[in-house]
Amino acid sequence: MTNHRIALIPGDGIGAEVLPPARRVLDRVGRRHGFTLTYTSYDDWSCERYLREGAMMPADGIERLRDKDAILLGAVGYPGVPDHVSLWGLLIPIRRGFRQYVNLRPIRVFDGVDSPVRGARPGEVDFVVVRENVEGEYSEIGGRFNRGRPDETAVQEAVFTRAGVTRVLDYAFGLAARRGGRLTSATKSNGIVHTMPFWDELVAERAAAFPRVAWDQEHIDALAAKFVLAPGRFDVVVASNLFGDILSDLAAAVAGSIGIAPAANLNPEREFPSMFEPVHGSAPDIAGRGIANPLGAIWSAAMMLDHLGHPAAAADITDAIAAVLAETDVRTRDLGGTATTAEFTDRLLALL
């Protein structure tokens, strides 16, 4: 029987409330499909730890994770700790330390979840945003100068490398070839004079290696509008770090609830562990009340199983998610119901 070593990082806020339901679901499908999961939990890697010790995780945190097969993260961020401190103290070091250069965000409109967008209908909106995850606009190059003076200056450099852009494009084109055969590239080469024309050139260059994939490119402002006006036209969308970050959150809102949206931070070569996380954040306003929607974490867990080589088990989970959302009697408050996290999880497990 195959065993996978999983690192659990609950993190902050509702992160500690949504990982236990995901673990219950993982164990259930593991028994059915003949594999086991061994968990190591890092419960104090959090903003609370930062306030107590000055660091989000121990100095050897990356080394502690290195021998794991995958990482399942709850949420990062809490009032009292600036977001750039919490993210750059935990989430981003893991992404970059383990070369998780693909951020994968599936977008799907489910039966039973009303989209705020009139034209976003179940069965018609089902696409994936592939975001470059370790360079681009989110580089560490830059600084602040003349702090507090009238001429104070902040400089932030975007970094696009041929190797970094090429590898994420190859992943996106390959994914499109396995899905619907269509790819859209997000750009802004009419306004950003160096990095975006370079991005566009590499898209055209890599497209030649995937002749069966139809592709186009859209300026980011027009693309954002089309996500709202015609979300059903997309299959795979590939974007730089900043553009992909914004587009994927917009797309989750179009799908009706950011509370159910998952994400994968992938090292496709599997040289290092990949990390899976719900998109919803730590939600401090509802933390500790037992009412958080666990589906973002559960869907992320399904993506983890698919990455680990268990697509049938992953499909069982996403089928159960679709079934529980199609019902009207058991829903968490973000979906218009009154169910607690535990009640919602119990119903999904029953459908499994």
Side-chain angles (χ1 to χ4, degrees):
M1 180 177 289
T2 302
N3 179 69
H4 300 289
R5 296 161 296 179
I6 308 300
L8 298 178
I9 306 177
D12 301 303
I14 63 171
E17 300 174 49
V18 297
L19 284 199
R23 180 172 174 174
R24 291 178 65 193
V25 171
L26 285 169
D27 290 340
R28 177 72 60 86
V29 297
R31 288 193 295 271
R32 175 184 298 170
H33 289 273
F35 61 86
T36 59
L37 302 165
T38 301
Y39 304 98
T40 303
S41 190
Y42 301 90
D43 294 333
D44 71 335
W45 294 17
S46 63
C47 287
E48 184 178 350
R49 186 185 197 280
Y50 175 83
L51 293 172
R52 186 178 67 248
E53 301 185 26
M56 293 289 295
M57 63 178 174
D60 65 345
I62 297 297
E63 290 306 312
R64 295 190 191 188
L65 299 173
R66 191 176 297 275
D67 67 341
K68 305 301 185 293
D69 296 308
I71 303 161
L72 190 59
L73 175 73
V76 178
Y78 215 72
V81 178
D83 287 341
H84 70 277
V85 171
S86 58
L87 290 177
W88 282 88
L90 182 63
L91 185 66
I92 294 178
I94 294 173
R95 286 176 174 174
R96 298 191 173 190
F98 292 140
R99 298 195 176 195
Q100 297 167 353
Y101 60 84
V102 169
N103 183 264
L104 196 64
R105 294 279 296 270
I107 308 299
R108 179 177 168 186
V109 176
F110 287 94
D111 278 314
V113 179
D114 293 330
S115 169
V117 176
R118 183 172 52 202
R121 290 179 286 271
E124 297 181 11
V125 177
D126 185 355
F127 65 96
V128 180
V129 176
V130 177
R131 167 191 173 192
E132 198 290 316
N133 208 32
V134 297
E135 56 176 45
E137 302 89 349
Y138 292 1
S139 82
E140 299 176 65
I141 300 175
R144 295 270 294 275
F145 309 96
N146 300 321
R147 289 175 182 264
R149 297 179 180 178
D151 58 346
E152 183 172 4
T153 303
V155 175
Q156 179 76 49
E157 300 284 355
V159 175
F160 287 68
T161 67
R162 173 173 285 272
V165 176
T166 296
R167 65 191 181 186
V168 77
L169 292 178
D170 282 348
Y171 182 90
F173 272 108
L175 180 62
R178 298 189 299 272
R179 284 176 50 94
R182 293 177 290 115
L183 179 139
T184 300
S185 170
T187 186
K188 191 57 182 172
S189 51
N190 61 345
I192 301 176
V193 69
H194 296 303
T195 57
M196 284 292 103
F198 178 60
W199 173 279
D200 294 348
E201 291 166 14
L202 291 179
V203 171
E205 180 182 298
R206 298 314 304 155
F210 299 89
R212 295 187 179 182
V213 175
W215 68 278
D216 62 357
Q217 63 185 41
E218 296 275 1
H219 290 136
I220 183 66
D221 41 358
L223 183 55
K226 290 176 182 178
F227 265 29
V228 175
L229 295 173
R233 63 172 285 189
F234 299 104
D235 179 27
V236 173
V237 178
V238 64
S240 67
N241 210 332
L242 176 61
F243 292 171
D245 193 3
I246 295 169
L247 285 172
S248 54
D249 275 8
L250 171 61
V254 168
S257 174
I258 202 168
I260 66 175
N265 303 278
L266 300 178
N267 173 248
E269 295 80 9
R270 303 172 190 269
E271 298 173 331
F272 305 103
S274 294
M275 179 168 60
F276 304 82
E277 55 173 324
V279 173
H280 52 56
S282 60
D285 55 324
I286 63 168
R289 297 169 59 188
I291 60 173
N293 186 338
L295 288 188
I298 292 169
W299 194 356
S300 298
M303 296 180 73
M304 182 180 75
L305 291 185
D306 187 63
H307 176 74
L308 291 173
H310 304 288
D316 280 356
I317 296 174
T318 52
D319 287 348
I321 289 173
V324 77
L325 288 174
E327 296 183 343
T328 57
D329 57 334
V330 181
R331 291 177 173 274
T332 48
R333 297 188 185 188
D334 62 304
L335 296 173
T338 60
T340 65
T341 306
E343 290 168 343
F344 197 51
T345 304
D346 287 342
R347 181 56 186 157
L348 185 135
L349 285 167
L351 290 169
L352 269 173

